[in-house]
């Protein structure tokens, strides 16, 4: 009963706020009519739209800020998912401020003791009751562990889980009503809310953030330039991690730091995260980056992270290189290969991306990373869904470039990254020919052969059981065997030629060079040509008397 009353009050508050900002038509369309004027509540009249449609994004942002709770986080999610909402809304939601008054220190202490199962005095030498930050999900306190380590303690708000569950339930019902009435059908409100619910579930369980922190700590354990906080302890609602001491880029002001070095560390680290490790920080804005003593860089707030499969890493690199080279056809191909839908309007997407690149050429202050978002929007308009991981890559790169421009206004992230990719490709090549790489490929080949053997045995078993009927002559068998032998030989030649050409392309810049081309590359192409000639001669001879076994 208490929960029902609470939900009714919250629903009433949401409706009043939406009406206040001229968004009452959303409340009416979403079935939230209790606090609407009588005519609109009865469904006789419709709530008017704002006079200026251009104000809608700003009105939505202000209403989300006043509603707080899940609505504020909802807006923040939409700001990093331009594939889910119109671009003007995604851009406006970037300025949402997640600042709420802190809850009582005594309550924070009680939550910590309950979660950790020990008294504050048993866990800490010092615990600062004054929080250094407070947001809709948690607040953060400084403390010192019994062993003397300086830490920060992230404590979840006592009512966060209930408030978010209630708000999401209201959002879900409103989204279903909007879809039933065919409102905002191009953006699938129910799907957006479902995505937000998954996102929120992770944010409310601090063990996910701790897992990400540990992953990053392992990734950078040998790095002399990048530092991430160490996790000391974690539960679902409490996270204790080491405190980093330095200057946030958002507070840099007139502090003297080596700006060029800091940019290089940030970008090299992010490109390695994305395209080597396949696990990355999705929100490196200036408030989440710290310059530490000795010029090292500290990364903070791991609530938004992404993971890429090897296939998506490859597509990400292809898009990145295509944008850097202003190659619209290659960009469209990479996006199509990465997409979740293979039956969308592919030709329409290619035309639009080509036009986007032409328009982009004429822009005076163009930012290469912004092309990612434009491509994602074009894909959505043509019914092609882009994997959320790839969308987050685009968002991460846009945010990173903006952060780098705080330090160096002329910095071009995409152009800088091309040199980094050559290093990545060289590393991959060395890894491929290392003992471990060779063993890995041998294991893959062994697995493939084992699968083939199993399939062959299954076919033979079907022959034994009489479920496959074949009527052929002995000569057919002999002819079939000869054909298979010839075909397998040709296939082997073709595979060798392909492997030699791929090898030549990969090592084209590896020393020693002759005329700007690697000696290994020249040798590989030469070997491929000789093998091709052998294959052509074999094909030409086939069919002549005495050669073709069919004659």
């Amino acid at each position: 009963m208490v929960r029902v009353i609470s939900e009714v009050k919250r629903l009433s508050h949401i409706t009043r706020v939406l009406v206040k900002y001229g968004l009452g038509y959303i409340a009416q369309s979403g079935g939230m009519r209790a606090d609407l004027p009588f005519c609109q509540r009865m469904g006789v009249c419709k709530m008017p739209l704002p006079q200026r449609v251009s104000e809608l994004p700003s009105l939505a942002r202000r209403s989300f800020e006043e509603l707080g709770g899940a609505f504020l986080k909802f807006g923040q999610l939409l700001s990093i998912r331009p594939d889910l909402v119109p671009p003007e809304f995604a851009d406006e939601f970037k300025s949402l401020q997640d600042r709420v008054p802190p809850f009582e220190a005594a309550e924070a202490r009680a939550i910590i003791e309950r979660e950790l199962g020990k008294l504050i005095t048993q866990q800490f030498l010092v615990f600062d009751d004054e929080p250094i930050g407070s947001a809709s999900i948690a607040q953060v306190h400084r403390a010192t562990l019994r062993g003397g380590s300086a830490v920060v303690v992230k404590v979840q708000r006592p009512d966060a889980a209930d408030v978010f569950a209630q708000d999401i339930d209201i959002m879900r019902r409103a989204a279903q009503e909007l879809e039933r009435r065919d409102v905002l059908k191009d953006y699938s409100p129910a799907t957006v809310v479902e995505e937000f619910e998954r996102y929120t579930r992770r944010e409310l369980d601090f063990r996910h953030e701790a897992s990400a922190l540990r992953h990053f700590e392992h990734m950078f354990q040998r790095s002399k330039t990048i530092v991430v906080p160490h996790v000391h302890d974690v539960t679902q609602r409490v996270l204790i991690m080491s405190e980093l001491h330095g200057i946030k880029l958002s507070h840099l002001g007139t502090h003297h730091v080596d700006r060029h070095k800091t940019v290089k560390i940030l970008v090299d680290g992010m490109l390695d995260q994305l395209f080597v490790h396949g696990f990355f920080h999705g929100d490196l804005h200036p408030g989440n980056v710290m310059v530490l003593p000795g010029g090292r860089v500290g990364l903070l707030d791991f609530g938004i992270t992404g993971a890429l499969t090897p296939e998506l890493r490859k597509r990400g690199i292809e898009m990145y290189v295509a944008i850097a080279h202003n190659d619209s056809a290659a960009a469209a191909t990479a996006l199509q290969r990465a997409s979740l839908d293979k039956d969308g309007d592919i030709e329409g997407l290619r035309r639009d991306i080509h036009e986007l690149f032409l328009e982009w050429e004429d822009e005076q202050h163009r930012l290469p990373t912004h092309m990612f978002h434009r491509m994602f929007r074009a894909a959505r308009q043509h019914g092609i869904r882009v994997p959320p991981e790839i969308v987050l890559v685009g968002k991460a790169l846009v945010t990173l470039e903006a952060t780098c421009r705080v330090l160096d206004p002329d910095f071009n992230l995409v152009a800088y990254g091309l040199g980094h990719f050559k290093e990545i490709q060289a590393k991959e090549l060395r890894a491929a020919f290392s003992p471990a790489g060779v063993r890995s490929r041998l294991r893959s080949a062994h697995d493939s052969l084992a699968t083939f053997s199993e399939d062959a045995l299954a076919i033979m078993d079907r022959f034994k059981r009489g479920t496959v009927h074949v009527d052929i002559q002995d000569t057919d068998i002999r002819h079939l065997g000869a054909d298979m032998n010839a075909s397998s030989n040709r296939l082997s030649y073709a595979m060798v030629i392909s492997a030699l050409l791929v090898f030549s392309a990969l090592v084209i810049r590896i020393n020693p060079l002759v005329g700007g081309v690697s000696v290994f590359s020249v040798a590989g192409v030469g070997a491929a040509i000789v093998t091709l000639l052998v294959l052509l001669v074999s094909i030409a001879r086939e069919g002549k008397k005495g050669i073709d076994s069919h004659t």
Side-chain angles (χ1 to χ4, degrees):
M1 187 64 182
V2 174
R3 180 182 175 84
V4 172
I5 294 172
S6 172
E7 188 168 315
V8 169
K9 287 181 178 179
R10 179 62 171 165
L11 193 58
S12 176
H13 177 59
I14 292 168
T15 305
R16 289 197 302 272
V17 170
L18 291 175
V19 171
K20 173 183 174 180
Y21 288 101
L23 303 174
Y25 72 97
I26 292 180
Q28 186 180 36
S29 300
M32 297 180 283
R33 302 183 180 185
D35 284 81
L36 295 178
F38 179 78
C39 181
Q40 286 83 1
R41 185 167 66 246
M42 300 306 294
V44 177
C45 313
K46 288 189 176 181
M47 291 295 295
L49 291 166
Q51 291 184 349
R52 286 186 290 184
V53 177
S54 61
E55 294 180 349
L56 275 174
S58 174
L59 293 171
R61 174 186 58 77
R62 288 158 61 192
S63 66
F64 282 1
E65 282 184 331
E66 184 164 332
L67 287 170
F71 285 88
L72 199 149
K73 280 292 178 185
F74 186 55
Q76 290 181 328
L77 169 68
L78 296 180
S79 75
I80 65 172
R81 292 295 306 275
D83 58 317
L84 297 179
V85 292
E88 56 271 20
F89 281 84
D91 291 339
E92 181 69 32
F93 292 155
K94 289 176 183 175
S95 59
L96 279 167
Q97 301 296 314
D98 189 2
R99 295 171 185 161
V100 297
F103 56 92
E104 292 295 327
E107 201 159 14
R109 285 172 171 262
I111 292 171
I112 294 169
E113 291 181 344
R114 187 163 57 250
E115 287 288 308
L116 299 179
K118 59 179 72 173
L119 297 174
I120 287 284
T121 52
Q122 293 175 309
Q123 181 77 20
F124 306 105
L125 282 175
V126 178
F127 182 84
D128 190 349
D129 284 339
E130 188 67 30
I132 57 176
S134 178
S136 56
I137 285 183
Q139 63 188 38
V140 180
H141 295 259
R142 282 194 175 96
T144 304
L145 293 176
R146 300 289 299 177
S149 301
V151 296
V152 291
V153 185
K154 184 175 179 179
V155 189
Q156 190 171 126
R157 301 186 77 86
D159 58 348
D162 291 338
V163 168
F164 274 67
Q166 185 181 85
D167 281 357
I168 290 171
D169 193 44
I170 292 171
M171 287 180 190
R172 187 187 298 108
R173 293 203 304 271
Q176 290 168 349
E177 186 67 17
L178 288 170
E179 289 202 349
R180 190 181 69 81
R181 293 170 175 266
D182 228 15
V183 179
L184 301 175
K185 61 180 178 180
D186 291 340
Y187 296 97
S188 184
T191 301
V192 175
V193 172
E194 184 181 332
E195 181 85 14
F196 174 61
E197 186 173 13
R198 285 197 298 269
Y199 167 80
T200 302
R201 197 179 299 122
R202 291 182 62 85
E203 278 236 52
L204 287 169
D205 188 343
F206 293 169
R207 290 170 294 190
H208 289 293
E209 184 176 351
S211 176
L213 268 166
R214 287 171 176 142
H215 197 135
F216 277 101
E217 188 176 17
H218 177 72
M219 281 165 49
F220 293 116
Q221 62 183 345
R222 296 183 181 178
S223 174
K224 297 179 181 178
T225 55
I226 293 181
V227 180
V228 298
H230 172 71
V231 176
H232 288 273
D233 204 352
V234 65
T235 69
Q236 185 172 342
R237 301 178 66 202
V238 173
L239 173 59
I240 303 173
M241 51 193 158
S242 57
E243 182 179 14
L244 302 185
H245 298 279
I247 307 165
K248 285 186 178 182
L249 293 189
S250 56
H251 300 153
L252 198 56
T254 57
H255 287 91
H256 176 71
V257 299
D258 188 333
R259 292 171 180 256
H260 178 73
K261 177 184 176 183
T262 304
V263 167
K264 188 176 183 302
I265 291 172
L266 263 179
V267 176
D268 288 347
M270 174 57 88
L271 294 178
D272 275 347
Q273 291 172 46
L274 286 169
F275 303 121
V276 176
H277 302 290
F279 190 77
F280 62 98
H281 194 303
D283 197 24
L284 285 180
H285 61 74
N288 284 341
V289 180
M290 184 177 278
V291 181
L292 308 177
R296 296 180 302 163
V297 171
L299 308 183
L300 307 171
D301 192 354
F302 293 80
I304 300 175
T305 58
L308 297 175
T309 63
E311 178 68 16
L312 288 180
R313 265 183 267 172
K314 186 187 298 183
R315 301 302 165 225
I317 290 176
E318 288 172 355
M319 275 186 260
Y320 193 110
V321 172
I323 291 172
H325 289 149
N326 203 22
D327 188 340
S328 63
T333 298
L335 185 59
Q336 177 191 346
R337 288 175 177 171
S339 69
L340 299 171
D341 303 283
K342 306 303 180 185
D343 55 353
D345 183 8
I346 302 298
E347 289 307 313
L349 173 64
R350 288 183 174 277
R351 286 194 301 272
D352 277 9
I353 288 181
H354 180 66
E355 290 175 9
L356 284 173
F357 273 77
L358 291 176
E359 293 170 5
W360 185 51
E361 283 181 358
D362 297 330
E363 291 182 15
Q364 188 175 1
H365 302 291
R366 62 182 191 174
L367 293 174
T369 54
H370 287 196
M371 183 54 72
F372 282 97
H373 283 177
R374 297 183 189 185
M375 288 167 56
F376 300 153
R377 290 164 188 162
R380 181 181 53 75
Q381 289 166 359
H382 289 282
I384 298 169
R385 290 180 301 141
V386 180
E389 299 88 349
I390 287 289
V391 176
L392 189 54
V393 168
K395 187 268 176 189
L397 289 173
V398 168
T399 305
L400 177 66
E401 183 163 52
T403 299
C404 290
R405 285 173 174 265
V406 170
L407 299 166
D408 180 359
D410 298 321
F411 180 73
N412 186 322
L413 172 62
V414 172
Y416 175 87
L418 285 178
H420 194 87
F421 284 138
K422 291 179 181 178
E423 295 179 18
I424 291 175
Q425 288 172 335
K427 286 179 183 176
E428 288 179 346
L429 185 63
R430 287 194 293 270
F433 286 96
S434 68
V438 172
R439 283 196 300 271
S440 175
R441 279 158 180 74
L442 286 173
R443 280 196 298 269
S444 296
H446 175 270
D447 292 342
S448 297
L449 286 172
T451 302
F452 176 78
S453 300
E454 290 172 4
D455 292 342
L457 288 171
I459 293 171
M460 291 175 65
D461 184 57
R462 291 184 65 188
F463 271 108
K464 287 179 182 178
R465 288 186 283 110
T467 55
V468 175
H469 300 282
V470 181
D471 184 16
I472 54 178
Q473 301 295 322
D474 178 62
T475 53
D476 294 330
I477 292 288
R478 287 189 288 106
H479 289 170
L480 178 61
D483 287 341
M484 289 178 64
N485 186 50
S487 298
S488 63
N489 287 338
R490 287 181 204 163
L491 180 60
S492 298
Y493 279 122
M495 290 176 66
V496 170
I497 293 167
S498 300
L500 287 169
L501 292 175
V502 170
F503 170 78
S504 301
L506 288 172
V507 301
I508 196 167
R509 297 298 181 194
I510 292 179
N511 291 325
L513 303 178
V514 175
V517 178
S518 172
V519 170
F520 300 113
S521 185
V522 173
V525 172
I529 291 171
V530 171
T531 310
L532 176 61
L533 290 173
V534 173
L535 175 60
L536 292 175
V537 170
S538 172
I539 293 172
R541 292 178 64 200
E542 185 178 292
K544 292 183 179 180
K545 190 173 181 180
I547 300 296
D548 186 352
S549 59
H550 292 199
T551 60

